[in-house]
Amino acid sequence: MSAPILFLAGVPKAGTSSLFGWLADHPQVQGSHEKESCFFADPGSHVFRPTFNAGQGIERLADAFPPLDAATRLRVEGTPSTIYSRTALALIPELPKARALFVLREPASQIRSVYDYFRDNWDYIPAGMSFPDYLAAVRAGTQAFGGNEVAANALACADYLPWLERWRDRLDPARMKVVTFDRLRTDPNGLVTEIADWCGIDPAFYAAYAFPVENESYTPRNRALQRLNIAVRGALPKGRVYSAARALYRTLNTRPPERDGDAAFLVDLRRGFAEKNARLAEAFDLDLSGWAP
């Protein structure tokens, strides 16, 4: 593959769907057929695809993208659980000119969003399980959550420093970038301009860009209808008709998640991560002042 690939390698629920769309809209960038190809998922992961994975040969990665055209200077793929993948850690550094971008979200908010997303957008977490009960189950290791390792290990997954240190040990620092969800939300133009400069694409495209938001968590109004949605949406062809149907469904059967009642649990989580976040900020020269309890 002649155009280098930028992997949006993490973390889940930190805006990578939006960022993928912003980059893929650039005329010099080619996005993968699906934002999350899951090509480097480890066997046993809930996103592992036995018919399409790195074990079948690294050359199969080309199948994740459309045919290369003359204007393309960068390809982008965005499986956010890549940060946790042993297969990805072994193979991505060996790909010529490949880069990895990690978007980090304040851990308590990220864990809460993981809970909302896998309970409501999917059904890995039981619908009747409260956030405090979910945290207790994660700490006790008493539930597998349908084999979803991100949901089952949410606390360890949100301790970002050990994961990033493994990547820094394997990947040339010039091919790795760590940014925050805070910047993605408050300064999308500045962040994407910085990424464009880093990847060698023209940043001027974003001067008048709208920066639409994708893949937000929601709560279904009717869970039976949501179960049907989960069962059929993966088999539907993607395109304008799919996007229109999804927008209509979300208008009719979803509402924003309710989080006010769990404020005390989120504060406790932030306190528990404070020391880890301080080490992370120092190790990767990040401004995490907004993550304070």
Side-chain angles (χ1 to χ4, degrees):
M1 302 174 69
S2 56
I5 304 174
L6 172 63
F7 294 97
L8 307 183
V11 298
K13 304 311 299 171
T16 56
S17 291
S18 296
L19 183 56
F20 174 86
W22 302 345
L23 291 169
D25 281 346
H26 193 291
Q28 295 175 322
V29 177
Q30 184 186 71
S32 51
H33 289 297
E34 294 181 74
K35 178 247 181 180
E36 300 184 24
S37 75
C38 305
F39 182 75
F40 295 104
D42 292 326
S45 166
H46 75 289
V47 296
F48 181 72
R49 299 179 180 183
T51 59
F52 180 66
N53 62 79
Q56 298 189 13
I58 194 66
E59 65 277 0
R60 287 291 308 278
L61 180 59
D63 296 342
F65 296 90
L68 197 64
D69 59 48
T72 300
R73 299 180 61 180
L74 180 73
R75 290 183 165 186
V76 62
E77 189 275 349
T79 305
S81 57
T82 296
I83 184 174
Y84 312 122
S85 167
R86 298 182 303 277
T87 303
L89 186 62
L91 295 179
I92 287 178
E94 304 302 321
L95 293 174
K97 301 181 181 179
R99 297 170 184 252
L101 176 70
F102 303 91
V103 186
L104 308 183
R105 185 173 183 176
E106 186 276 312
S109 299
Q110 192 263 352
I111 292 167
R112 177 62 207 234
S113 190
V114 163
Y115 162 78
D116 288 334
Y117 184 69
F118 287 128
R119 185 193 65 170
D120 294 334
N121 295 52
W122 295 91
D123 56 1
Y124 290 103
I125 297 173
M129 178 175 278
S130 69
F131 184 56
D133 287 345
Y134 168 68
L135 291 177
V138 171
R139 289 185 173 115
T142 55
Q143 292 210 29
F145 298 107
N148 185 322
E149 71 282 2
V150 175
N153 301 302
L155 292 167
C157 288
D159 182 9
Y160 307 127
L161 181 57
W163 303 103
L164 291 172
E165 286 178 328
R166 295 183 183 104
W167 280 92
R168 187 167 60 182
D169 289 344
R170 286 278 296 139
L171 196 60
D172 183 335
R175 297 167 60 196
M176 174 179 173
K177 182 179 283 290
V178 181
V179 301
T180 64
F181 180 66
D182 311 69
R183 285 195 64 199
L184 187 145
R185 291 181 63 190
T186 62
D187 184 25
N189 195 319
L191 175 60
V192 177
T193 296
E194 179 182 310
I195 294 169
D197 285 334
W198 180 51
C199 292
I201 58 174
D202 185 3
F205 170 77
Y206 295 105
Y209 188 71
F211 297 100
V213 175
E214 296 285 344
N215 203 33
E216 293 184 294
S217 298
Y218 57 72
T219 295
R221 300 177 187 276
N222 183 301
R223 289 194 176 272
L225 187 57
Q226 174 64 358
R227 287 194 293 271
L228 177 62
N229 172 49
I230 292 170
V232 304
R233 65 190 179 195
L236 300 178
K238 304 301 187 290
R240 283 181 290 181
V241 174
Y242 175 90
S243 297
R246 181 180 65 173
L248 178 62
Y249 171 80
R250 292 192 177 183
T251 298
L252 296 175
N253 195 47
T254 71
R255 62 178 186 270
E258 298 175 2
R259 298 172 178 170
D260 292 344
D262 296 323
F265 292 94
L266 292 172
V267 170
D268 285 343
L269 269 179
R270 290 189 182 99
R271 288 173 179 157
F273 276 96
E275 185 176 337
K276 296 174 181 178
N277 292 339
R279 293 197 298 269
L280 172 65
E282 182 178 1
F284 285 89
D285 192 25
L286 298 171
D287 177 8
L288 303 182
S289 56
W291 293 12

